[in-house]
Amino acid sequence: MRFEELCNYLLKLEKTSKRLEMIDILSEVFSKTKKEEINYTVNFIQEQLLPPFYNIQLGIADKMVEKAIAIAYNKPVSRILEEYKKVGDLGEIAEKESNTSNNQKTDITEVYSKLLKIAKISGEGSIDEKIKELSELIANISPIESKFVIRFVMGKLRLGVGEATIMEALSKARTGSREFKANIERAFNLCSDLGYVAEVLYLKGEAGINKFEISAMKPIRPALAERLGSSKEILEKMGKCAIDQKLDGFRAQVHKKAKEVRVFSRNLEDITHFMPEIVEEVKKIDCQDLIIDGEALTYDENTNVLYPFQITIQRKRKHNVEELSQELPLRLFVFDIMLYNRENMINEPYIKRRELLDKLFSNTKTISKTKMIITDDEKEIDKFFDLTIEEGLEGIVAKRLDSPYSAGARNFNWIKMKRSYKSKLNDTIDLVILGYFKGRGQRAGFGLGAVLAGVYDSKEDKFKSITKVGSGFSEEQFKQLFKILNEIKVDNKPARVDSIMQPDVWVVPKYVIAVKADEITRSPTHTAGMKDGIGYALRFPRAVTFIRTDKKAEDANTVKDIVEMYGQQKNISIKN
Ligand code: ATP
């Protein structure tokens, strides 16, 4: 498909917020896309050059884009700057300033090869080189193409299309129905690379997708846990089960292929660089292919005490990783294994996977296994839980003995129980920022006084409002929020946002914050879980973290979580 044709479809996509219409438009795009182009097209629509675990960024700042437009269309930078101040969208400015008529029939492969080339430029003189390449690219494409390339480069494409919508559209385009989405999703969960999955679908058809397998160096979307508030409920749900200690560090999925080791975060970013000691230790394991799942924590070498998450996360923010690994070394607590040489363990029952873990790993200071018991006795679970809390850990995760590794799914194969559930809504809730209210009175100087926040509705692939958060942030954080939210502000309510409450400024649903609240209540003001005009809302919310960099918008708590928490909250208050 010509890139210009794709851009015209993107224009149509921008104009609708109806999911079915989006699916129809995209499935038309995908029907016309060649197999050589589908990988790039899907990534482009996902508004990324490649999935995050490839660690490839364009590295182009706004200033560089301004210059590239000026060079491409032979205009003074000052003029571009002035326009930018007025219009606020360099894409639109590129479109207006461009006088190119594209007779070359550019396709997405050409655009992508140029963008990849730009991303790979590094070192001395790279800024000028990147500007030159970008200006050459936009000088040779049509105005509308320039507009979308510039928006893409700046991370401001804002099509608002979720993964679920893309998968349904792919299914419709290739099979005529949306039902094959479930199979596509299974493959996506096994490799976290939707562009690649689409390519397999185009090259090998439905059979290729159905035969899709995990492979080392492609991260598996992590399995997640449901929550319950008592050992009784856990046993009612799963019967005899494994009870694992729950540690509060950061999720680390470790891959090994021959001598190469890579580590991926919960969010599927490549975090290999932050974990040199774990990488070295895993390199020593005598095997060709390996994928294990675990939680990494810093600990005190003298006392063997584990440090809380706040200390562990410092690693990600600091540059002196090598030094830190001396001072505050990391230990990986492994709790699952998905691949061992040629043995794909993902569909094996949990108990078998754990047996293999026990066979392969003895506890060392850098890699250790989580402590685990198997029981069907309520009292034994409670005792293990209390001991775990005494050790300063967060709680337990119960695991169904016969369950597969549920890639990318949150279900009752894993059930977490934290101490906090025993009191009334003490757990933190992760919310997505949907917009902000301008600061008034004392906060006028911060620019921002509160944010509108929401939860994810995975069924509808939308974000629904649940509360307004105006406390818990420091003065400095308010100012910082104002700055970073302005970078993603949009003129109208984004297509995937559902809210009755109108903030002063809407933003792209991107950033997640953790809040604590006193209670979940029913309310007609918010759209989360809304039925017959009544939704759910948080009472007295306060932020307990600034932006959580380990989660993307879709990883926030869901409407389903809120409904469950609401139920548990009632149970607790009755018990008390
Ligand atoms: P979630 O990851 O479920 O979206 P969250 O980030 O708030 O929510 P938690 O409520 O702490 O996380 O619970 C799940 C997380 O617990 C897992 O993602 C994993 O990082 C961590 N974890 C710690 N110990 C274990 C364990 N033994 N088994 C599974 N997960 C564990």
mmCIF file of all heavy atoms in Angstrom, residues 214-250:
data_model
loop_
_atom_site.group_PDB
_atom_site.id
_atom_site.type_symbol
_atom_site.label_atom_id
_atom_site.label_comp_id
_atom_site.label_asym_id
_atom_site.label_seq_id
_atom_site.Cartn_x
_atom_site.Cartn_y
_atom_site.Cartn_z
ATOM 1 N N ILE A 214 6.821 -19.996 22.046
ATOM 2 C CA ILE A 214 7.725 -19.029 22.679
ATOM 3 C C ILE A 214 9.153 -19.247 22.172
ATOM 4 O O ILE A 214 9.486 -20.339 21.709
ATOM 5 C CB ILE A 214 7.744 -19.163 24.225
ATOM 6 C CG1 ILE A 214 8.018 -20.609 24.648
ATOM 7 C CG2 ILE A 214 6.475 -18.667 24.816
ATOM 8 C CD1 ILE A 214 8.298 -20.755 26.125
ATOM 9 N N SER A 215 9.978 -18.209 22.276
ATOM 10 C CA SER A 215 11.394 -18.408 21.954
ATOM 11 C C SER A 215 12.248 -17.468 22.794
ATOM 12 O O SER A 215 11.803 -16.365 23.155
ATOM 13 C CB SER A 215 11.648 -18.188 20.459
ATOM 14 O OG SER A 215 11.240 -16.898 20.103
ATOM 15 N N ALA A 216 13.438 -17.916 23.107
ATOM 16 C CA ALA A 216 14.325 -17.109 23.940
ATOM 17 C C ALA A 216 14.619 -15.797 23.239
ATOM 18 O O ALA A 216 14.781 -15.757 22.014
ATOM 19 C CB ALA A 216 15.615 -17.860 24.227
ATOM 20 N N MET A 217 14.683 -14.720 24.005
ATOM 21 C CA MET A 217 14.958 -13.342 23.573
ATOM 22 C C MET A 217 13.718 -12.595 23.105
ATOM 23 O O MET A 217 13.779 -11.414 22.800
ATOM 24 C CB MET A 217 16.049 -13.262 22.484
ATOM 25 C CG MET A 217 17.372 -13.798 22.934
ATOM 26 S SD MET A 217 17.972 -12.916 24.391
ATOM 27 C CE MET A 217 18.971 -14.163 25.179
ATOM 28 N N LYS A 218 12.579 -13.279 23.019
ATOM 29 C CA LYS A 218 11.315 -12.555 22.795
ATOM 30 C C LYS A 218 10.541 -12.639 24.107
ATOM 31 O O LYS A 218 10.121 -13.739 24.511
ATOM 32 C CB LYS A 218 10.495 -13.235 21.696
ATOM 33 C CG LYS A 218 11.098 -13.085 20.321
ATOM 34 C CD LYS A 218 10.148 -12.309 19.431
ATOM 35 C CE LYS A 218 10.703 -12.195 18.036
ATOM 36 N NZ LYS A 218 10.408 -10.931 17.406
ATOM 37 N N PRO A 219 10.337 -11.514 24.798
ATOM 38 C CA PRO A 219 9.692 -11.587 26.106
ATOM 39 C C PRO A 219 8.253 -12.099 26.048
ATOM 40 O O PRO A 219 7.513 -11.777 25.112
ATOM 41 C CB PRO A 219 9.720 -10.141 26.603
ATOM 42 C CG PRO A 219 9.966 -9.301 25.408
ATOM 43 C CD PRO A 219 10.723 -10.140 24.430
ATOM 44 N N ILE A 220 7.904 -12.889 27.038
ATOM 45 C CA ILE A 220 6.529 -13.387 27.169
ATOM 46 C C ILE A 220 5.767 -12.353 27.992
ATOM 47 O O ILE A 220 6.301 -11.825 28.963
ATOM 48 C CB ILE A 220 6.544 -14.739 27.919
ATOM 49 C CG1 ILE A 220 7.372 -15.760 27.129
ATOM 50 C CG2 ILE A 220 5.136 -15.241 28.171
ATOM 51 C CD1 ILE A 220 7.646 -17.041 27.893
ATOM 52 N N ARG A 221 4.540 -12.057 27.610
ATOM 53 C CA ARG A 221 3.786 -11.087 28.432
ATOM 54 C C ARG A 221 3.507 -11.743 29.781
ATOM 55 O O ARG A 221 3.030 -12.882 29.849
ATOM 56 C CB ARG A 221 2.509 -10.672 27.718
ATOM 57 C CG ARG A 221 2.857 -9.972 26.392
ATOM 58 C CD ARG A 221 1.643 -9.475 25.677
ATOM 59 N NE ARG A 221 1.163 -8.267 26.279
ATOM 60 C CZ ARG A 221 -0.136 -7.945 26.355
ATOM 61 N NH1 ARG A 221 -1.049 -8.755 25.879
ATOM 62 N NH2 ARG A 221 -0.512 -6.816 26.899
ATOM 63 N N PRO A 222 3.854 -11.059 30.876
ATOM 64 C CA PRO A 222 3.856 -11.732 32.166
ATOM 65 C C PRO A 222 2.471 -12.199 32.636
ATOM 66 O O PRO A 222 1.466 -11.550 32.354
ATOM 67 C CB PRO A 222 4.410 -10.676 33.133
ATOM 68 C CG PRO A 222 4.274 -9.389 32.441
ATOM 69 C CD PRO A 222 4.307 -9.662 30.982
ATOM 70 N N ALA A 223 2.470 -13.325 33.344
ATOM 71 C CA ALA A 223 1.243 -13.794 33.994
ATOM 72 C C ALA A 223 0.987 -12.888 35.183
ATOM 73 O O ALA A 223 1.929 -12.444 35.839
ATOM 74 C CB ALA A 223 1.429 -15.231 34.461
ATOM 75 N N LEU A 224 -0.290 -12.600 35.456
ATOM 76 C CA LEU A 224 -0.623 -11.704 36.573
ATOM 77 C C LEU A 224 -1.592 -12.400 37.525
ATOM 78 O O LEU A 224 -2.192 -13.419 37.179
ATOM 79 C CB LEU A 224 -1.242 -10.408 36.048
ATOM 80 C CG LEU A 224 -0.359 -9.600 35.090
ATOM 81 C CD1 LEU A 224 -1.157 -8.473 34.443
ATOM 82 C CD2 LEU A 224 0.863 -9.035 35.805
ATOM 83 N N ALA A 225 -1.707 -11.826 38.709
ATOM 84 C CA ALA A 225 -2.496 -12.490 39.748
ATOM 85 C C ALA A 225 -3.810 -11.778 40.029
ATOM 86 O O ALA A 225 -3.889 -10.558 39.977
ATOM 87 C CB ALA A 225 -1.663 -12.550 41.022
ATOM 88 N N GLU A 226 -4.845 -12.543 40.327
ATOM 89 C CA GLU A 226 -6.088 -11.989 40.872
ATOM 90 C C GLU A 226 -5.871 -11.796 42.366
ATOM 91 O O GLU A 226 -4.840 -12.216 42.902
ATOM 92 C CB GLU A 226 -7.234 -12.991 40.659
ATOM 93 C CG GLU A 226 -7.810 -12.973 39.258
ATOM 94 C CD GLU A 226 -8.659 -11.721 38.998
ATOM 95 O OE1 GLU A 226 -8.887 -10.945 39.949
ATOM 96 O OE2 GLU A 226 -9.074 -11.538 37.849
ATOM 97 N N ARG A 227 -6.825 -11.198 43.052
ATOM 98 C CA ARG A 227 -6.618 -11.039 44.502
ATOM 99 C C ARG A 227 -7.804 -11.561 45.304
ATOM 100 O O ARG A 227 -8.935 -11.519 44.834
ATOM 101 C CB ARG A 227 -6.374 -9.573 44.848
ATOM 102 C CG ARG A 227 -7.579 -8.691 44.748
ATOM 103 C CD ARG A 227 -7.278 -7.336 45.319
ATOM 104 N NE ARG A 227 -6.352 -6.614 44.458
ATOM 105 C CZ ARG A 227 -6.666 -6.112 43.273
ATOM 106 N NH1 ARG A 227 -7.885 -6.283 42.797
ATOM 107 N NH2 ARG A 227 -5.808 -5.460 42.545
ATOM 108 N N LEU A 228 -7.508 -12.100 46.473
ATOM 109 C CA LEU A 228 -8.567 -12.484 47.409
ATOM 110 C C LEU A 228 -8.120 -12.084 48.801
ATOM 111 O O LEU A 228 -6.931 -11.842 49.042
ATOM 112 C CB LEU A 228 -8.837 -13.990 47.339
ATOM 113 C CG LEU A 228 -9.656 -14.513 46.143
ATOM 114 C CD1 LEU A 228 -9.752 -16.025 46.165
ATOM 115 C CD2 LEU A 228 -11.067 -13.905 46.104
ATOM 116 N N GLY A 229 -9.077 -12.070 49.732
ATOM 117 C CA GLY A 229 -8.777 -11.525 51.045
ATOM 118 C C GLY A 229 -8.604 -12.540 52.162
ATOM 119 O O GLY A 229 -8.320 -12.162 53.299
ATOM 120 N N SER A 230 -8.778 -13.858 51.893
ATOM 121 C CA SER A 230 -8.603 -14.818 52.985
ATOM 122 C C SER A 230 -8.188 -16.185 52.445
ATOM 123 O O SER A 230 -8.448 -16.522 51.287
ATOM 124 C CB SER A 230 -9.904 -14.968 53.769
ATOM 125 O OG SER A 230 -10.846 -15.678 52.989
ATOM 126 N N SER A 231 -7.553 -16.975 53.330
ATOM 127 C CA SER A 231 -7.105 -18.310 52.920
ATOM 128 C C SER A 231 -8.312 -19.193 52.599
ATOM 129 O O SER A 231 -8.246 -20.064 51.738
ATOM 130 C CB SER A 231 -6.247 -18.938 54.016
ATOM 131 O OG SER A 231 -6.896 -18.804 55.250
ATOM 132 N N LYS A 232 -9.417 -18.940 53.286
ATOM 133 C CA LYS A 232 -10.632 -19.729 53.040
ATOM 134 C C LYS A 232 -11.076 -19.553 51.578
ATOM 135 O O LYS A 232 -11.321 -20.533 50.864
ATOM 136 C CB LYS A 232 -11.725 -19.248 53.993
ATOM 137 C CG LYS A 232 -13.009 -20.000 53.920
ATOM 138 C CD LYS A 232 -13.856 -19.727 55.161
ATOM 139 C CE LYS A 232 -15.208 -20.381 55.064
ATOM 140 N NZ LYS A 232 -16.185 -19.579 54.330
ATOM 141 N N GLU A 233 -11.136 -18.293 51.161
ATOM 142 C CA GLU A 233 -11.561 -18.019 49.779
ATOM 143 C C GLU A 233 -10.584 -18.647 48.773
ATOM 144 O O GLU A 233 -10.991 -19.166 47.736
ATOM 145 C CB GLU A 233 -11.633 -16.513 49.527
ATOM 146 C CG GLU A 233 -12.806 -15.829 50.189
ATOM 147 C CD GLU A 233 -12.644 -14.317 50.171
ATOM 148 O OE1 GLU A 233 -11.798 -13.794 50.938
ATOM 149 O OE2 GLU A 233 -13.345 -13.676 49.392
ATOM 150 N N ILE A 234 -9.289 -18.583 49.109
ATOM 151 C CA ILE A 234 -8.279 -19.156 48.206
ATOM 152 C C ILE A 234 -8.524 -20.648 48.038
ATOM 153 O O ILE A 234 -8.567 -21.167 46.917
ATOM 154 C CB ILE A 234 -6.855 -18.897 48.741
ATOM 155 C CG1 ILE A 234 -6.519 -17.402 48.628
ATOM 156 C CG2 ILE A 234 -5.812 -19.741 48.000
ATOM 157 C CD1 ILE A 234 -5.171 -17.006 49.190
ATOM 158 N N LEU A 235 -8.739 -21.345 49.163
ATOM 159 C CA LEU A 235 -8.941 -22.800 49.077
ATOM 160 C C LEU A 235 -10.247 -23.146 48.371
ATOM 161 O O LEU A 235 -10.326 -24.111 47.622
ATOM 162 C CB LEU A 235 -8.887 -23.427 50.472
ATOM 163 C CG LEU A 235 -7.475 -23.489 51.071
ATOM 164 C CD1 LEU A 235 -7.515 -23.999 52.497
ATOM 165 C CD2 LEU A 235 -6.539 -24.365 50.224
ATOM 166 N N GLU A 236 -11.263 -22.316 48.584
ATOM 167 C CA GLU A 236 -12.535 -22.558 47.886
ATOM 168 C C GLU A 236 -12.330 -22.447 46.381
ATOM 169 O O GLU A 236 -12.901 -23.178 45.599
ATOM 170 C CB GLU A 236 -13.576 -21.510 48.317
ATOM 171 C CG GLU A 236 -14.305 -21.910 49.592
ATOM 172 C CD GLU A 236 -15.109 -20.741 50.176
ATOM 173 O OE1 GLU A 236 -15.240 -19.680 49.499
ATOM 174 O OE2 GLU A 236 -15.563 -20.902 51.312
ATOM 175 N N LYS A 237 -11.477 -21.543 45.986
ATOM 176 C CA LYS A 237 -11.255 -21.278 44.562
ATOM 177 C C LYS A 237 -10.363 -22.354 43.927
ATOM 178 O O LYS A 237 -10.609 -22.800 42.830
ATOM 179 C CB LYS A 237 -10.541 -19.943 44.462
ATOM 180 C CG LYS A 237 -10.791 -18.964 43.451
ATOM 181 C CD LYS A 237 -11.942 -18.611 42.829
ATOM 182 C CE LYS A 237 -12.391 -18.030 41.669
ATOM 183 N NZ LYS A 237 -13.706 -17.554 41.654
ATOM 184 N N MET A 238 -9.285 -22.753 44.629
ATOM 185 C CA MET A 238 -8.339 -23.666 43.955
ATOM 186 C C MET A 238 -8.069 -24.995 44.637
ATOM 187 O O MET A 238 -7.366 -25.827 44.084
ATOM 188 C CB MET A 238 -7.013 -22.967 43.602
ATOM 189 C CG MET A 238 -6.451 -21.918 44.479
ATOM 190 S SD MET A 238 -4.731 -21.528 44.017
ATOM 191 C CE MET A 238 -4.867 -20.233 42.839
ATOM 192 N N GLY A 239 -8.614 -25.241 45.773
ATOM 193 C CA GLY A 239 -8.317 -26.502 46.477
ATOM 194 C C GLY A 239 -6.853 -26.534 46.868
ATOM 195 O O GLY A 239 -6.218 -25.476 47.017
ATOM 196 N N LYS A 240 -6.313 -27.749 46.984
ATOM 197 C CA LYS A 240 -4.903 -27.867 47.357
ATOM 198 C C LYS A 240 -4.035 -27.062 46.381
ATOM 199 O O LYS A 240 -4.193 -27.195 45.166
ATOM 200 C CB LYS A 240 -4.514 -29.340 47.301
ATOM 201 C CG LYS A 240 -3.147 -29.623 47.859
ATOM 202 C CD LYS A 240 -2.923 -31.114 47.915
ATOM 203 C CE LYS A 240 -1.554 -31.423 48.444
ATOM 204 N NZ LYS A 240 -1.310 -32.858 48.457
ATOM 205 N N CYS A 241 -3.160 -26.233 46.912
ATOM 206 C CA CYS A 241 -2.405 -25.349 46.014
ATOM 207 C C CYS A 241 -1.025 -25.032 46.578
ATOM 208 O O CYS A 241 -0.712 -25.399 47.716
ATOM 209 C CB CYS A 241 -3.179 -24.051 45.799
ATOM 210 S SG CYS A 241 -3.529 -23.189 47.334
ATOM 211 N N ALA A 242 -0.223 -24.378 45.765
ATOM 212 C CA ALA A 242 1.097 -23.932 46.234
ATOM 213 C C ALA A 242 0.937 -22.528 46.800
ATOM 214 O O ALA A 242 0.222 -21.700 46.232
ATOM 215 C CB ALA A 242 2.070 -23.919 45.072
ATOM 216 N N ILE A 243 1.607 -22.267 47.917
ATOM 217 C CA ILE A 243 1.590 -20.915 48.490
ATOM 218 C C ILE A 243 3.023 -20.397 48.454
ATOM 219 O O ILE A 243 3.923 -20.934 49.086
ATOM 220 C CB ILE A 243 1.084 -20.923 49.953
ATOM 221 C CG1 ILE A 243 -0.282 -21.604 50.072
ATOM 222 C CG2 ILE A 243 1.053 -19.504 50.513
ATOM 223 C CD1 ILE A 243 -1.433 -20.831 49.482
ATOM 224 N N ASP A 244 3.197 -19.350 47.666
ATOM 225 C CA ASP A 244 4.519 -18.792 47.417
ATOM 226 C C ASP A 244 4.667 -17.496 48.201
ATOM 227 O O ASP A 244 3.680 -16.778 48.382
ATOM 228 C CB ASP A 244 4.558 -18.436 45.914
ATOM 229 C CG ASP A 244 5.827 -18.829 45.252
ATOM 230 O OD1 ASP A 244 6.744 -19.293 45.932
ATOM 231 O OD2 ASP A 244 5.896 -18.669 44.009
ATOM 232 N N GLN A 245 5.866 -17.166 48.621
ATOM 233 C CA GLN A 245 6.053 -15.865 49.265
ATOM 234 C C GLN A 245 5.994 -14.763 48.208
ATOM 235 O O GLN A 245 6.547 -14.934 47.122
ATOM 236 C CB GLN A 245 7.404 -15.815 49.961
ATOM 237 C CG GLN A 245 7.391 -16.583 51.269
ATOM 238 C CD GLN A 245 8.610 -16.287 52.104
ATOM 239 O OE1 GLN A 245 9.694 -16.115 51.570
ATOM 240 N NE2 GLN A 245 8.442 -16.239 53.406
ATOM 241 N N LYS A 246 5.362 -13.670 48.551
ATOM 242 C CA LYS A 246 5.288 -12.558 47.607
ATOM 243 C C LYS A 246 6.289 -11.473 47.996
ATOM 244 O O LYS A 246 6.234 -10.941 49.090
ATOM 245 C CB LYS A 246 3.872 -11.969 47.605
ATOM 246 C CG LYS A 246 3.692 -10.874 46.591
ATOM 247 C CD LYS A 246 2.251 -10.447 46.523
ATOM 248 C CE LYS A 246 1.986 -9.602 45.311
ATOM 249 N NZ LYS A 246 2.923 -8.513 45.110
ATOM 250 N N LEU A 247 7.198 -11.185 47.080
ATOM 251 C CA LEU A 247 8.253 -10.208 47.366
ATOM 252 C C LEU A 247 7.974 -8.913 46.632
ATOM 253 O O LEU A 247 7.458 -8.915 45.513
ATOM 254 C CB LEU A 247 9.592 -10.784 46.886
ATOM 255 C CG LEU A 247 9.950 -12.081 47.598
ATOM 256 C CD1 LEU A 247 10.365 -13.128 46.596
ATOM 257 C CD2 LEU A 247 11.033 -11.832 48.617
ATOM 258 N N ASP A 248 8.363 -7.811 47.249
ATOM 259 C CA ASP A 248 8.059 -6.508 46.657
ATOM 260 C C ASP A 248 9.307 -5.887 46.032
ATOM 261 O O ASP A 248 9.911 -4.982 46.585
ATOM 262 C CB ASP A 248 7.487 -5.601 47.753
ATOM 263 C CG ASP A 248 6.937 -4.312 47.181
ATOM 264 O OD1 ASP A 248 6.689 -4.268 45.960
ATOM 265 O OD2 ASP A 248 6.770 -3.358 47.951
ATOM 266 N N GLY A 249 9.697 -6.403 44.871
ATOM 267 C CA GLY A 249 10.846 -5.824 44.172
ATOM 268 C C GLY A 249 10.408 -5.468 42.797
ATOM 269 O O GLY A 249 9.319 -4.936 42.631
ATOM 270 N N PHE A 250 11.227 -5.738 41.740
ATOM 271 C CA PHE A 250 10.637 -5.609 40.422
ATOM 272 C C PHE A 250 10.751 -6.867 39.595
ATOM 273 O O PHE A 250 11.704 -7.608 39.659
ATOM 274 C CB PHE A 250 10.977 -4.344 39.645
ATOM 275 C CG PHE A 250 12.401 -3.933 39.545
ATOM 276 C CD1 PHE A 250 13.235 -4.524 38.612
ATOM 277 C CD2 PHE A 250 12.898 -2.923 40.344
ATOM 278 C CE1 PHE A 250 14.531 -4.113 38.474
ATOM 279 C CE2 PHE A 250 14.203 -2.508 40.222
ATOM 280 C CZ PHE A 250 15.024 -3.109 39.291
#
